Amino acid sequence: MTKAGKFVVFEGLDRVGKSTQAKLLAKARGAEYTKQPGAHRSTKALRDMLLNKKSQVSDFVEALIFSVDRSIHTEQVLRPALAAGKDVVCDRFIGSFLAYQGYGRQGDIDFLTDLSKRATGGLEPDLVFLLQSQRSFTNGLDNDRIEGESTEFRQRVKEGYLTLLEQNPDTWCLVDADGTQKEVAERITQLAAERLNWV
Ligand code: TMP
């Protein structure tokens, strides 16, 4: 299956404003907005297994479930839309997997990279926006299983994201997520124009 549309991904820590900005960009471009995990109807139960606070899964099982979700989502949602020539804006992709299951959980990066390649059949984003804020994460009662992880875990995820940014300068770019929604959206529009010629 060929890829005619552009594939744009938003990455970053929880509550950094990713979903809002991803939806704004998708709307402005007439692109399809989608997200991982749990976007496809058959993967709703997987999202619950992954994020429900009562769910007890090992790190290995967590990695497998994220991969099943990503595989179904890629096959059923991303590839058909891209092949039909639609631009797609996806809220989280392999970057989240490497940052959270790799750096956050201190998993085997080579194994996880291989697993994600198999899950996606090698689909790569054209552009990844990494949103980063100076604001500290506020722990709330409504945190899901992964949001409820320790400050040290979040710090490792943050550093993991910066490593991925450094390793992939052609596809990744950093976005300052502090400021008003409009200010952040303007930064993203500017980068999309420079990097994808989206004007
Ligand atoms: P969301 O709240 O942005 O929908 O993301 C759900 C959580 O899942 C979030 O804490 C990040 C985490 N996550 C991973 O740990 N690995 C992954 O591969 C993905 C896509 C998300």
Side-chain angles (χ1 to χ4, degrees):
M1 205 185 281
T2 51
K3 176 169 152 301
K6 292 280 184 215
F7 180 31
V8 175
V9 170
F10 278 69
E11 291 286 358
L13 285 170
D14 295 285
R15 312 218 179 154
V16 75
K18 260 183 328 343
S19 306
T20 306
Q21 292 298 335
K23 284 177 192 162
L24 282 173
L25 181 67
K27 192 163 177 224
R29 282 294 304 178
E32 178 162 335
Y33 166 85
T34 185
K35 65 176 289 175
Q36 295 186 350
H40 189 260
R41 62 187 179 287
S42 65
T43 60
K44 300 267 183 267
L46 299 181
R47 185 174 169 93
D48 187 57
M49 280 177 83
L50 288 164
L51 301 182
N52 191 316
K53 273 193 270 194
K54 292 193 184 131
S55 169
Q56 290 183 327
V57 288
S58 66
D59 291 356
F60 179 62
V61 170
E62 178 184 275
L64 293 182
I65 300 175
F66 271 117
S67 301
V68 172
D69 175 87
R70 183 163 301 108
S71 181
I72 294 172
H73 185 244
T74 302
E75 202 175 288
Q76 308 275 341
V77 179
L78 300 177
R79 284 197 186 270
L82 292 166
K86 268 210 121 193
D87 295 323
V88 176
V89 176
C90 190
D91 195 344
R92 298 192 180 281
F93 191 57
I94 293 172
S96 288
F97 192 55
L98 297 178
Y100 283 77
Q101 280 63 55
Y103 293 94
R105 298 264 187 247
Q106 299 175 300
D108 178 339
I109 302 281
D110 289 341
F111 167 70
L112 296 169
T113 303
D114 187 41
L115 193 57
S116 43
K117 279 194 186 137
R118 285 164 192 262
T120 59
L123 179 68
E124 302 259 3
D126 295 291
L127 186 61
V128 179
F129 292 110
L130 173 59
L131 269 63
Q132 212 170 60
S133 164
Q134 301 303 321
R135 276 171 286 140
S136 51
F137 178 89
T138 39
N139 247 317
L141 284 175
D142 59 337
N143 282 347
D144 62 36
R145 193 177 65 86
I146 294 182
E147 284 170 340
E149 282 294 339
S150 64
T151 312
E152 291 74 27
F153 174 85
R154 265 194 302 282
Q155 187 58 30
R156 287 197 298 273
V157 173
K158 186 174 177 179
E159 283 162 16
Y161 267 134
L162 292 175
T163 303
L164 294 169
L165 171 76
E166 223 173 86
Q167 288 172 344
N168 300 283
D170 293 343
T171 39
W172 283 57
C173 57
L174 188 63
V175 179
D176 172 6
D178 290 321
T180 64
Q181 204 177 73
K182 187 161 175 267
E183 283 165 346
V184 180
E186 278 166 7
R187 287 173 203 145
I188 290 169
T189 306
Q190 170 91 30
L191 283 163
E194 285 165 17
R195 307 281 292 246
L196 292 176
N197 211 13
W198 275 9
V199 284

